[in-house]
Each structure stands twice: as structure tokens, then as C-alpha cells.
């Protein structure tokens, strides 16, 4: 937790509550992007309030190398409130610490926008803190609750399926209590409405209609400059450090998890024509790392497949730009659906070979018609498309595909996303450029 002795009173504050760096998660990057843009839009106190490192590690979340996390710009304060209470308050200690710090930030009268990424527990924490702050001080807080896919697949839908009406009703009620409700894609909104409708049918509630009326779409914000500013020399230097050559590898960069389809990619690569020309680089961390290593060994691909678990944000753009193709064969599973696909946008901005992915969840919104789409759980078709791209495409085909993908992805630039979002939250304060 960062503590300062600065007694000056801010004019305008932004608080973003999220699982922030070093967690490997697209929405931790989204929070960084929104915070960086806020500094250019008149916010003189910008804070990311998140969890202590030991709590993140204990949760088993995939983490970036701590010594290579990119610093935030001066003016952004990252706070990690410590737990409150002792062992007799099992999991609530960290949540109490988070809520307590938010109460302090919200109750001093500074005009504040508080944005939560993930409903559970972040929107819950913001809601509780605002309620307290309004009772004890001159709170001037506008709240934005952003729902991501796992809010529904991992929490609400599970509660509905298991008959746990109360927990689902609680989360949806907190969401709708925010001043502004947004979702990261149209797919995510429809997922929320469908789950709410199921709950309504079971218990006579009215969540679905309110969700349909109130939820706006705010696509994740991406730092396009980090990708558009790449140079050939910079890409070459990054690849050389990894012993890679430009267009000499196919790249998967995401969580190493079953829902990302990495096992399908390995199966497609095995026996492909592409395997004779390029390596396969699997970059990321996640719960299936051991299974991936075992699959690679069982298929005899140990000399052709690399698993990189220490890729940092600084080298990610160059790795994307240097790849012959970027493959994310994401698939729908009960606990997870790709509700947008931030890495796909980043890859499109970086350039290089085309994206190959699956039309699951919100992926079509992230890529438009600029990616090659294959059926999920279909390694044979994935192999065919991969070989076509790597072995048969001409340089001209690659150049045309690269330009189209980049033009589409620019709509998710962080400044444009920020201005659209805050025109909704503060229509009189932030003009849309």
C-alpha cells in the first residue's frame, strides 16, 4: 500500500478496482490503460486499488515476473490494502481491507469516479464502500460497474445451476445499483440477460428486463501505441534474445488453460507441414502447464515446441509482430467463455502473421472479419488452416491481411474507449474527441 504525506486536495479522482498487475489478465491491462488516459483527461488523482501480492499468489492466479512488470506513469498510485482482522475472519479479511480503504477515498468530498472491473468481488466492494461513505461524509462518487464474462460463467450461472438463488440475486442487484452498468461486449450483455432471465423464471424476479435496459457496451481499452510504435530493429533484438527469427514460429500467448484450447493447437501442429518450417511457441502461465509439457513430450515435439512462462509486457508486442501466425483456439466451457479477446486485438495492432481463432463468445466482436475462424475442438481443421497460412500464403496476402486487421483493431484504442465510456459517466465533463 502506498502512503503519502501530500495534504493537497485533488480536484477530480478516478479509482479503478481490479485484479491488477502482476496478474496475467487482459483486464489488468485494461485498468492500466484507463488510468493512463485519465491523466490526460483532467483527473489529478488516479488510483488502482487491488489486492496484496500474497493474496493474489495464494489464489493461484497466473502471474507475470515481478521484476519485469512495467511501471505505471507518475500520477498513478497503486494501493494494495492489507487484511483487516485475524484468522477468525477466514476470507473476509482482505475484502474488509479493500472496502475500508475505498470508504476513506470516497468520504472526503473529492468528486470521484469509481470503476470496478469484475462484479465479484470488486463491484460488491465499491457498492459497500459507497453506501458507508455516503452515511459518514460528503461523498461525491459516480460508480461504473463493468461486467466481464467470468462474472456470469463462473458466478451467476453457477449459482443459477446449483439453485443458489441468493448469491446470484446479490450480484445482479449490486450490478444494477451502480450508476452506470457496462459489459465488455454485446455477447457478455446477452449472457447476463439470459442468466438473469433464467433466475427470473425460477424466482419471479425482474432482473432480465432491467439488465437489458441499463447495460451499455464498453469494449476493453488497449494501448495501441505499444504495438504501433514497434520498429524492425526492436523486434529483431527481442526475438534474438529468445533465439527466435521473424516468421520462424507460430505463437500462442494467453493463459495456459483448457478453455484456451492449447491442447488442440499442439495436436494440430503435430504432423503438420508447418512443423517442418516453423517452431511453436506457447507463451503464458496457467493451471495446465504440466499437462502441456506432458502432451508435447508424448507427441515427440520437444525440439519443436517452446513453453515460455516468463514473457513480460515489454516483449509481448515484438513476439506478436514477429510470428508467422497467432493462434488462439479458444473454446466454450462451463466455467469460461472468451467474452472478448484482448490478446487478439493486441496481435492485430502489432502486425505480422494473421490471427487464427474460434468464433466463440465475444471473439467475433474483437476481430470482425479480419481473422481466420475455425471450429472449436477441431484440430484437423486447425491444422489445415495453419498450413495454408504458414506454407502457402504469399507476402502480398500477408500484407493485405495485416493492414485490414490493424485498421479494425484501432477502434479499441484506449483513448477512444475512455472517451466513449466517460461521455456516458460524465457527459458534461469529458467531450468525445
Amino acid at each position: 500500500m502506498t502512503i503519502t504525506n501530500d495534504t493537497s486536495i485533488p480536484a477530480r479522482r478516478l479509482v479503478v478496482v481490479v485484479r491488477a498487475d502482476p496478474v496475467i489478465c487482459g483486464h489488468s491491462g485494461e485498468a492500466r490503460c484507463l488510468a493512463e488516459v485519465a491523466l490526460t483527461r483532467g483527473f489529478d488523482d488516479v488510483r488502482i486499488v487491488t489486492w496484496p501480492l500474497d493474496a493474489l499468489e495464494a489464489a493461484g492466479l497466473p502471474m507475470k515476473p515481478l521484476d519485469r512488470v512495467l511501471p505505471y506513469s507518475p500520477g498513478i498510485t497503486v494501493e494494495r490494502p492489507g487484511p483487516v482482522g485475524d484468522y477468525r475472519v477466514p476470507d473476509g479479511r482482505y475484502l474488509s481491507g479493500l472496502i475500508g480503504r475505498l470508504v476513506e477515498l470516497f468520504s472526503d468530498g473529492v468528486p470521484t469516479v469509481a470503476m470496478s472491473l469484475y462484479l465479484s468481488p470488486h463491484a460488491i466492494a465499491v457498492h459497500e464502500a459507497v453506501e458507508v461513505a455516503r452515511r459518514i461524509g460528503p461523498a461525491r462518487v459516480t460508480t461504473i460497474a463493468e461486467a466481464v464474462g467470468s462474472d456470469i460463467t463462473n458466478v451467476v450461472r453457477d449459482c443459477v445451476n446449483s439453485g443458489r438463488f441468493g448469491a446470484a440475486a446479490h450480484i445482479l442487484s449490486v450490478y444494477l445499483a451502480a450508476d452506470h452498468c457496462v459489459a465488455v461486449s454485446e455477447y457478455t450483455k446477452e449472457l447476463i440477460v439470459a442468466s438473469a432471465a433464467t433466475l427470473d423464471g425460477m424466482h419471479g424476479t425482474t432482473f432480465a428486463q432491467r439488465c437489458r435496459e441499463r447495460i451499455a457496451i464498453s469494449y476493453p481499452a488497449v494501448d495501441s501505441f505499444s504495438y504501433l510504435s514497434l520498429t524492425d530493429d526492436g523486434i529483431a533484438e527481442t526475438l534474438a534474445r529468445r533465439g527466435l527469427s521473424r516468421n520462424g514460429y507460430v505463437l500462442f500467448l494467453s493463459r495456459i488453460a483448457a478453455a484456451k484450447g492449447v491442447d488442440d493447437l499442439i495436436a494440430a501442429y503435430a504432423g503438420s507441414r508447418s512443423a517442418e518450417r516453423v517452431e511453436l511457441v506457447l507463451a503464458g502461465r496457467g493451471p495446465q502447464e504440466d499437462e502441456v509439457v506432458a502432451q508435447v513430450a508424448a507427441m515427440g515435439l520437444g525440439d519443436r515446441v517452446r513453453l515460455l512462462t516468463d514473457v513480460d509486457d515489454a516483449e509481448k508486442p515484438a513476439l506478436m509482430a514477429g510470428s508467422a501466425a497467432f493462434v488462439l483456439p479458444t473454446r466454450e466451457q462451463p466455467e469460461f467463455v472468451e467474452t472478448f479477446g484482448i490478446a487478439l486485438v493486441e496481435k492485430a495492432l502489432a502486425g505480422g502473421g494473421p490471427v487464427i481463432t474460434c468464433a466463440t463468445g465475444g471473439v467475433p466482436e474483437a476481430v470482425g472479419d479480419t481473422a481466420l475462424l475455425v471450429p472449436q475442438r477441431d484440430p484437423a481443421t486447425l491444422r489445415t488452416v495453419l498450413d495454408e497460412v504458414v506454407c502457402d500464403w504469399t507476402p502480398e496476402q500477408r500484407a493485405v491481411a495485416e493492414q485490414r486487421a490493424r485498421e479494425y483493431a484501432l477502434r479499441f484504442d484506449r483513448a477512444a474507449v475512455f472517451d466513449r465510456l466517460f461521455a456516458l459517466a460524465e457527459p458534461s465533463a469529458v467531450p468525445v474527441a
Side-chain angles (χ1 to χ4, degrees):
M1 178 174 174
T2 303
I3 299 176
T4 69
N5 294 318
D6 186 3
T7 57
S8 60
I9 299 175
R12 197 154 163 251
R13 177 186 292 140
L14 173 66
V15 177
V16 183
V17 187
V18 67
R19 290 198 309 256
D21 282 330
V23 175
I24 298 175
C25 173
H27 298 290
S28 68
E30 179 188 0
R32 176 189 288 267
C33 285
L34 293 172
E36 298 279 356
V37 177
L39 295 175
T40 71
R41 297 297 192 269
F43 288 89
D44 56 347
D45 184 10
V46 180
R47 296 171 186 265
I48 293 177
V49 182
T50 186
W51 306 92
L53 293 177
D54 59 345
L56 296 173
E57 291 168 349
L61 292 164
M63 308 277 273
K64 304 169 188 173
L66 284 173
D67 59 345
R68 280 186 278 167
V69 172
L70 292 176
Y72 291 83
S73 293
I76 298 174
T77 302
V78 178
E79 299 200 36
R80 302 181 184 274
V84 174
D86 58 21
Y87 66 93
R88 290 167 291 184
V89 189
D91 292 329
R93 296 183 301 141
Y94 288 99
L95 187 58
S96 293
L98 187 68
I99 293 171
R101 181 57 185 140
L102 292 175
V103 169
E104 295 164 359
L105 289 170
F106 296 165
S107 60
D108 62 2
V110 173
T112 297
V113 176
M115 182 173 181
S116 54
L117 282 68
Y118 293 95
L119 302 183
S120 179
H122 301 143
I124 294 172
V126 169
H127 176 73
E128 295 288 338
V130 169
E131 289 294 305
V132 174
R134 285 173 176 163
R135 292 190 186 102
I136 67 172
R140 299 171 64 188
V141 184
T142 300
T143 57
I144 305 172
E146 179 176 285
V148 302
S150 58
D151 285 324
I152 306 305
T153 58
N154 194 33
V155 182
V156 175
R157 196 160 66 183
D158 178 67
C159 289
V160 170
N161 292 340
S162 62
R164 301 176 68 184
F165 159 71
H170 176 225
I171 292 174
L172 291 173
S173 294
V174 166
Y175 185 32
L176 291 167
D179 295 314
H180 303 282
C181 306
V182 298
V184 296
S185 62
E186 291 284 356
Y187 174 83
T188 302
K189 177 176 178 177
E190 292 307 313
L191 191 65
I192 295 168
V193 172
S195 295
T198 301
L199 196 67
D200 292 346
M202 295 166 60
H203 298 281
T205 49
T206 59
F207 290 117
Q209 184 60 35
R210 286 184 287 158
C211 285
R212 187 173 294 283
E213 292 171 352
R214 294 209 52 216
I215 297 174
I217 308 304
S218 180
Y219 290 113
V222 177
D223 176 16
S224 61
F225 179 79
S226 296
Y227 299 89
L228 300 178
S229 61
L230 289 168
T231 65
D232 289 339
D233 288 345
I235 294 169
E237 290 173 7
T238 297
L239 298 187
R241 287 195 296 270
R242 290 289 186 177
L244 297 169
S245 61
R246 195 158 190 170
N247 298 319
Y249 60 96
V250 170
L251 180 64
F252 168 98
L253 195 157
S254 188
R255 281 187 298 115
I256 306 295
K260 300 293 184 175
V262 63
D263 55 335
D264 289 336
L265 173 55
I266 296 169
Y269 179 77
S272 67
R273 288 187 291 143
S274 299
E276 300 172 4
R277 293 197 180 195
V278 297
E279 296 179 89
L280 174 59
V281 174
L282 308 174
R285 300 294 312 274
Q288 266 69 54
E289 288 177 36
D290 291 343
E291 289 92 330
V292 164
V293 171
Q295 184 184 7
V296 169
M299 292 184 167
L301 297 171
D303 62 339
R304 302 297 294 160
V305 180
R306 300 194 201 185
L307 177 61
L308 306 181
T309 60
D310 60 345
V311 172
D312 57 43
D313 288 339
E315 64 179 337
K316 180 174 70 170
L319 286 176
M320 288 178 163
S323 63
F326 183 88
V327 186
L328 183 66
T330 182
R331 59 200 186 198
E332 295 183 15
Q333 300 203 166
E335 76 285 357
F336 179 84
V337 181
E338 197 81 56
T339 49
F340 183 69
I342 294 173
L344 302 174
V345 173
E346 293 171 337
K347 172 61 182 72
L349 290 168
V355 166
I356 304 172
T357 188
C358 303
T360 59
V363 166
E365 295 174 67
V367 301
D369 63 353
T370 69
L372 291 92
L373 302 178
V374 299
Q376 57 180 313
R377 297 183 175 87
D378 189 348
T381 301
L382 177 55
R383 181 184 300 118
T384 298
V385 174
L386 182 63
D387 283 344
E388 177 186 346
V389 166
V390 172
C391 304
D392 302 334
W393 271 27
T394 66
E396 291 75 20
Q397 282 178 288
R398 292 170 60 87
V400 169
E402 178 180 345
Q403 183 62 30
R404 288 182 63 247
R406 181 176 283 128
E407 289 175 356
Y408 182 86
L410 280 170
R411 69 190 60 197
F412 306 113
D413 174 73
R414 65 187 189 181
V417 170
F418 184 99
D419 287 342
R420 287 194 296 266
L421 176 61
F422 280 77
L424 169 73
E426 296 186 316
S428 63
V430 182
V432 177

